[in-house]
Amino acid sequence: MIIGIGARRGISSQEALDAIYNALAEAGRSIDEVQALASAKLKENEAGLHEAAAILGIGIRFIDHEELNNYDTPSASQAARFGLTGVAEPAALSLSEKKQLILRKKVYGRVTIAIAE
């Protein structure tokens, strides 16, 4: 599984971790099943995302905007103001094998999570 993450600027690692664990619980899945975290290139300077990935021991990839825009996402996104079709859903889909969302994007405070496999 791949967890796609969108976030407001300046989130803490704890905010990211809480969102990830809440999403996994809702999907009935375990952190052990997660192969990678993914987000948009514009989030690559977010320390909270890097710290959360390090705490989990899972790699995080930041996907180019052109790649993200290759995916039609089922949910509307605030990312449209940055010229993106979305962040969490297309990021998760871009790295997933089956290209199938098992958890559509959901907002947890200042973090948005989607899960794909």
Side-chain angles (χ1 to χ4, degrees):
M1 291 184 322
I2 306 295
I3 294 182
I5 305 175
R8 299 274 188 238
R9 182 172 290 139
I11 65 150
S12 69
S13 59
Q14 192 59 56
E15 285 177 282
L17 292 169
D18 289 347
I20 289 166
Y21 281 115
N22 285 329
L24 286 168
E26 286 185 39
R29 298 299 185 97
S30 163
I31 193 68
D32 297 333
E33 299 175 75
V34 178
Q35 295 172 303
L37 307 178
S39 193
K41 195 84 162 159
L42 64 90
K43 298 295 177 187
E44 69 183 339
N45 293 324
E46 287 295 330
L49 294 180
H50 288 282
E51 291 166 12
I55 290 166
L56 294 170
I58 298 172
I60 186 166
R61 294 228 350 243
F62 296 93
I63 312 300
D64 287 327
H65 297 174
E66 286 179 16
E67 173 73 12
L68 294 178
N69 285 337
N70 284 332
Y71 294 91
D72 290 326
T73 57
S75 308
S77 175
Q78 295 288 323
R81 64 184 170 189
F82 302 111
L84 298 172
T85 59
V87 174
E89 289 175 339
L93 288 167
S94 71
L95 297 183
S96 68
E97 290 178 20
K98 295 181 185 175
K99 307 294 184 209
Q100 182 176 13
L101 289 172
I102 59 170
L103 181 73
R104 286 175 61 167
K105 81 170 192 174
K106 184 157 184 191
V107 178
Y108 302 89
R110 301 187 317 143
V111 180
T112 303
I113 301 289
I115 304 175
E117 60 180 6

